[in-house]
Amino acid sequence: MKALPIGRELTSSHWGASEVIRDGGSGGHGGRAGGPARGLRPLPDDPDPSPIGAAMWDAYQSPLRVRRPAVRAGWLEAHGQGRRGPHTGRGREAFVEVSWDEAIELVAGELGRVIGEHGNEAVFGGSYGWSSAGRFHHAQSQVHRFLNSLGGYVRHVDSYSLGAGRVLLPHVVCTMDYLLGHHHSWDVLVASTRLMVSFGGVPAKNAQVGSGGASRHHTRGGLTRLAAAGCRFVNFSPVRDNLDAPDASVEWIPIRPNTDTAVMLALACETVLAGRHDRAFLASHCVGFERWHDYLTGRADGIVKNADWAAAIAQVPAQRLRDLAREMAQTRSLVNVAWALQRADHGEQAFWSGVGLAAVLGQIGLPGGGFALAYGPTNGIGSGDRLMGGPTLPQGRNPVDAFIPVARIADLLLSPGAEFDYNGKRHRYPDIRLVYWAGGNPFHHHQDLNRLARAWQKPDTVVVHEQVWNATARMADIVLPATSTLEREDIGHASRDPYLISMQPALAPPGQARDDFAIFADLAARLGRGEAFTEGRSANQWLRWMYEQAARGMTEAGVQMPSFEDFQAGGGVAFPVNDRPVVLLADFRADPLAHPLKTPSGRIELFSARIDSFGYADCPGHPAWFEPTEWLGSAQALRHPLHLISDQPHTKLHSQLDHSAVSLANKVAGREPVMMHPADAAVRGIADGDVVRLFNDRGACLAGARLSEDMRPGVVKLSTGAWWDPAWAAEGAQDPPAPADGAAPSPGPLDRHGNPNVLTRDAGASSLSQGCSAQSCLVQIERLAGEAPPMRAFEPPVFLARGG
């Protein structure tokens, strides 16, 4: 089978592949058949294109682009006087633009000094986020390769999206990376699934993105076809509209947030009590059911985890749970558990309970049955396209052993030398003197941003590569202007996508912006490590090398690939159609001895002896219910009576392109909208469109009220992604007024834009994973009295002349 040329000039982004529009017609390689590029349009064969991709065109030409290297004025003065951190002026001071030569000299000098005085364990290589759909100009790969060429760095492991799940699942069933590429394909679901019970919905807005691109969007159409085939959906969620199937096919059960684990345990318990559990499957494909059985039925602790027990916790009808357990056992059922559920206190338990419920039903490995973790988060999940390994840039070897779970960055900076638990071992935080960040926006995705801002003052130096003047750039000491996806040559690839795309520059870089590779090549040369970093290759030569390495593997997999020159001339290639259905764990189901899992037992572990041996009180050896630290059943709800959901936005990816026209059009009074039930608004005197203040003991932010009966009363939703906009005291901002109940004002500056992470809790999900627990968060809301302070998020910083 041959990969065929695409025949059009495409570019790839997280929101999808787009065709480049040029004067005189679209071009092939580099647009040679056309004139200057003037825009983007979605592919005609994409059934559900995202509007965000086209918005890149104007957003990447925004006045907010970083155009020249810039250094924070206070850091530059201190550096000239030989003074080092901490630096309390980060985020508050003006910048001085400098030449590239001076910027490279300053960065190289700081790297050399810190490594020479404190060792490589004093450097944190921060890169977290979807920095590029292109596989070469992927900032995380570039910065890690560069720092490895200098002798290593302190790294992070896991992700904010899946911190708890990534650590738990290899002990229990399989790795998360395996699941990402092997969920049942949509055609398998349409043919077989007749009941999908989803915890946290299947939001098509989230599935509009793919980490390496998304040439065809599947989720919305897949849900529609599922409903047409007769599948029913039961959606346990505080939000009605996060399962994008036809309304008549969806039963919404407005569950109390953070209680999904209790409901899953109850469904499993009711199945067992009624004798409907698949004893043969549990005996042949699972271990530990007997221990979990004792927990479910109350033999272990005297509490039967039945429908009545769960109904009191989750505030859902007990009889509906009993009926649903019977329905699931009598039809081909799929248990879908959203990623958001494991981004919570004891988040591991939601994933483990979902696997356990599916195991009790005995449908794992059958077409359309079992569990999913999950449909909805990204486009590739459920894709039936051919699974193809793609081009990758080798990052080299990191000789430094020290690491952190990704969501523990503030702990790392605030508590050098402190110990922490992770996956059965004790580790220690090193003393970080220099943070090097390329790709991602920590002042978007981290929790308790006021705490992070305090921690951020500790290092001597913070270096950032950025495209735009967002909060992370403003909080840096040295900002180096980086190019965007549309301004560089690359290769776009996602593992279950029909295209491998030759990406050619469509725009000229603004000002003096450079590719990350060019920046690191200069720095490596200045530090005497140029050959180690580049291996003598230019960017184009690396692309050729990466393509040829990947093409060799694709040819071995049965797909004949063209030469690199023909690949580029054809705009990339389309892979042959995959004619094999994708059924999760089908081989394991058919023969667990011939196809064992990579768990300690080779089977699904409903009781994990390994996890049990860790001795963690907050993560025992089987799925279990724990009360979250913050939830509507806690005493804290008396002061902060609303549960905050901070989901992914539908107008951007995390904080990327928050300044685009698509994102700005969704704002309310220029601020991110907060969704709330009309009843919650009425008791607070809030009307649709009002500017409101959300607050708790960690922080406060402003947002624009948007009322909807699609919310469960007592729950509000403020999507992530608004660029953090703190009203620093230096700008003349006053402390916010005390709330009506007389509590003290919230700590830290008021965020004027609506970033929920000034409110979320910066604590690990458990001792096992230390994952993000943002979804366990209580707040209060009040209507803002008086005039709202002006927004500053989309204004460039102040620049000073040298010595000014």
Side-chain angles (χ1 to χ4, degrees):
M1 294 181 292
K2 288 186 177 181
L4 300 177
I6 294 173
R8 292 170 288 172
E9 184 187 1
L10 307 183
T11 192
S12 185
S13 75
H14 309 309
W15 302 281
S18 300
E19 188 168 2
V20 179
I21 307 168
R22 292 187 180 272
D23 292 333
S26 295
H29 178 203
R32 291 174 181 170
R38 55 182 175 84
L40 305 173
R41 62 183 167 218
L43 302 189
D45 55 348
D46 185 350
D48 187 25
S50 168
I52 303 173
M56 289 191 302
W57 188 259
D58 292 328
Y60 284 146
Q61 300 178 76
S62 162
L64 285 168
R65 287 295 296 270
V66 182
R67 284 171 160 73
R68 296 187 63 197
V71 184
R72 184 170 57 83
W75 186 93
L76 194 61
E77 179 183 5
H79 183 268
Q81 297 172 358
R83 293 186 284 111
R84 310 301 177 199
H87 290 280
T88 57
R90 287 188 182 119
R92 309 181 187 216
E93 293 181 352
F95 284 83
V96 176
E97 292 186 327
V98 299
S99 69
W100 267 111
D101 282 346
E102 183 174 2
I104 294 295
E105 184 65 33
L106 289 172
V107 175
E110 274 300 278
L111 282 165
R113 180 190 68 80
V114 168
I115 292 172
E117 293 178 2
H118 307 285
N120 288 76
E121 274 201 4
V123 177
F124 181 73
S127 180
Y128 181 82
W130 294 39
S131 56
S132 173
R135 296 299 84 195
F136 176 66
H137 293 292
H138 180 249
Q140 185 175 102
S141 299
Q142 292 284 348
V143 68
H144 291 173
R145 179 179 174 84
F146 167 69
L147 293 175
N148 282 337
S149 75
L150 303 184
Y153 62 99
V154 176
R155 70 194 193 280
H156 76 255
V157 297
D158 307 324
S159 70
Y160 282 88
S161 296
L162 281 164
R166 282 192 177 276
V167 178
L168 171 79
L169 289 174
H171 297 293
V172 172
V173 60
C174 60
T175 67
M176 194 67 217
D177 287 335
Y178 179 84
L179 282 176
L180 290 174
H182 292 85
H183 277 87
H184 302 313
S185 53
W186 285 106
D187 57 339
V188 168
L189 297 180
V190 170
S192 303
T193 308
R194 292 300 170 261
L195 177 61
M196 179 186 284
V197 179
S198 187
F199 295 87
V202 183
K205 65 179 177 64
N206 293 9
Q208 288 290 93
V209 302
S211 60
S215 301
R216 294 179 189 145
H217 293 89
H218 306 286
T219 302
R220 206 181 314 269
L223 290 168
T224 300
R225 289 190 293 127
L226 253 178
C231 181
R232 294 184 298 116
F233 302 89
V234 178
N235 185 23
F236 287 92
S237 173
V239 181
R240 183 201 303 268
D241 62 356
N242 64 358
L243 202 160
D244 293 280
D247 289 344
S249 65
V250 182
E251 175 189 358
W252 178 41
I253 301 180
I255 191 173
R256 183 189 259 181
N258 282 190
T259 64
D260 305 79
T261 293
V263 169
M264 285 183 260
L265 293 173
L267 291 171
C269 180
E270 292 290 345
T271 302
V272 170
L273 293 176
R276 299 190 186 97
H277 53 301
D278 191 328
R279 294 176 175 85
F281 180 84
L282 290 166
S284 59
H285 291 73
C286 305
V287 297
F289 173 66
E290 296 79 8
R291 293 286 296 270
W292 195 40
H293 176 278
D294 289 349
Y295 173 78
L296 290 174
T297 59
R299 293 179 187 173
D301 59 5
I303 301 172
V304 181
K305 315 305 183 299
N306 59 14
D308 293 316
W309 168 81
I313 295 170
Q315 296 185 339
V316 298
Q319 188 58 46
R320 184 66 190 105
L321 296 183
R322 283 188 283 269
D323 292 342
L324 182 59
R326 183 185 67 254
E327 294 165 18
M328 295 177 75
Q330 293 174 346
T331 190
R332 185 61 55 85
S333 302
L334 183 72
V335 179
N336 183 70
V337 185
W339 291 4
L341 271 60
Q342 53 84 63
R343 291 196 294 271
D345 209 8
H346 306 100
E348 298 86 357
Q349 305 308 319
F351 269 20
W352 204 350
S353 297
V355 173
L357 172 58
V360 164
L361 293 169
Q363 298 185 27
I364 294 173
L366 296 177
F371 66 90
L373 305 171
Y375 292 95
T378 70
N379 180 65
I381 297 175
S383 169
D385 290 312
R386 190 175 294 270
L387 181 64
M388 303 291 288
T392 58
L393 176 68
Q395 296 184 17
R397 177 181 169 272
N398 186 355
V400 174
D401 292 330
F403 70 91
I404 63 165
V406 66
R408 302 274 56 81
I409 176 67
D411 291 353
L412 166 72
L413 299 178
L414 287 170
S415 305
E419 293 186 337
F420 65 94
D421 287 298
Y422 175 78
N423 205 12
K425 295 183 179 179
R426 294 283 284 175
H427 302 273
R428 189 181 300 275
Y429 293 122
D431 187 1
I432 299 299
R433 301 303 182 95
L434 186 147
V435 173
Y436 205 123
W437 208 283
N441 180 359
F443 284 90
H444 146 70
H445 58 241
H446 193 67
Q447 287 66 62
D448 195 348
L449 290 182
N450 291 324
R451 182 172 185 260
L452 178 63
R454 294 190 293 273
W456 210 250
Q457 312 302 325
K458 299 292 186 179
D460 297 350
T461 302
V462 176
V463 182
V464 166
H465 293 197
E466 249 305 340
Q467 299 166 349
V468 288
W469 281 105
N470 59 19
T472 293
R474 293 168 183 267
M475 291 292 290
D477 299 315
I478 303 175
V479 183
L480 304 180
T483 55
S484 77
T485 295
L486 297 178
E487 296 148 10
R488 55 203 183 202
E489 183 183 26
D490 214 328
I491 300 174
H493 170 76
S495 59
R496 279 203 186 270
D497 193 83
Y499 291 155
L500 183 71
I501 296 172
S502 174
M503 301 164 59
Q504 299 298 322
L507 291 172
Q512 297 177 12
R514 292 182 180 179
D515 300 340
D516 295 309
F517 175 77
I519 297 171
F520 287 132
D522 277 0
L523 284 169
R526 191 71 61 100
L527 291 162
R529 301 297 296 164
E531 179 65 23
F533 175 70
T534 68
E535 297 186 28
R537 296 187 182 102
S538 66
N540 182 264
Q541 289 169 332
W542 268 112
L543 287 172
R544 175 186 291 274
W545 183 90
M546 289 167 57
Y547 173 82
E548 290 174 350
Q549 294 292 313
R552 189 174 297 116
M554 293 171 182
T555 300
E556 291 172 357
V559 178
Q560 185 177 344
M561 300 293 291
S563 67
F564 181 64
E565 290 79 7
D566 289 344
F567 165 75
Q568 288 198 316
V573 295
F575 295 120
V577 173
N578 181 27
D579 57 2
R580 297 183 59 187
V582 183
V583 178
L584 178 63
L585 299 180
D587 291 341
F588 168 69
R589 170 83 188 207
D591 191 339
L593 297 179
H595 302 282
L597 303 176
K598 294 183 179 179
T599 61
S601 65
R603 294 189 280 176
I604 297 168
E605 304 220 354
L606 301 180
F607 178 85
S608 167
R610 180 192 286 166
I611 291 178
D612 189 61
S613 73
F614 297 160
Y616 295 146
D618 55 359
C619 190
H622 58 74
W625 158 253
F626 291 87
E627 283 197 14
T629 302
E630 280 188 40
W631 70 302
L632 291 174
S634 67
Q636 293 183 54
L638 296 175
R639 292 181 57 235
H640 302 124
L642 299 172
H643 192 111
L644 174 66
I645 293 174
S646 48
D647 67 340
Q648 292 299 316
H650 70 278
T651 58
K652 45 190 172 274
L653 171 58
H654 302 303
S655 66
Q656 288 189 43
L657 303 192
D658 188 32
H659 63 303
S660 77
V662 170
S663 181
L664 295 176
N666 186 55
K667 307 282 184 181
V668 175
R671 291 161 170 85
E672 202 69 16
V674 57
M675 304 288 290
M676 59 190 308
H677 193 277
D680 292 325
V683 299
R684 292 166 174 79
I686 294 171
D688 196 87
D690 282 348
V691 175
V692 296
R693 175 175 172 262
L694 293 79
F695 60 92
N696 59 20
D697 292 335
R698 290 179 289 272
C701 69
L702 301 182
R706 187 168 285 165
L707 309 188
S708 173
E709 293 189 354
D710 288 339
M711 300 296 301
R712 184 190 195 276
V715 178
V716 296
K717 181 176 70 128
L718 179 60
S719 298
T720 59
W723 286 4
W724 184 49
D725 187 28
W728 300 106
E731 295 176 302
Q734 302 298 311
D735 287 335
D741 62 8
S746 302
L750 175 72
D751 169 55
R752 297 170 288 203
H753 192 192
N755 189 315
N757 279 327
V758 301
L759 304 161
T760 52
R761 180 168 166 261
D762 185 14
S766 79
S767 303
L768 179 74
S769 71
Q770 300 292 350
C772 160
S773 60
Q775 301 298 349
S776 299
C777 178
L778 296 178
V779 301
Q780 178 61 289
I781 297 183
E782 62 184 7
R783 185 177 180 273
L784 184 70
E787 187 174 351
M791 284 266 298
R792 301 290 187 225
F794 301 124
E795 297 178 7
V798 173
F799 294 101
L800 300 179
R802 195 62 175 268

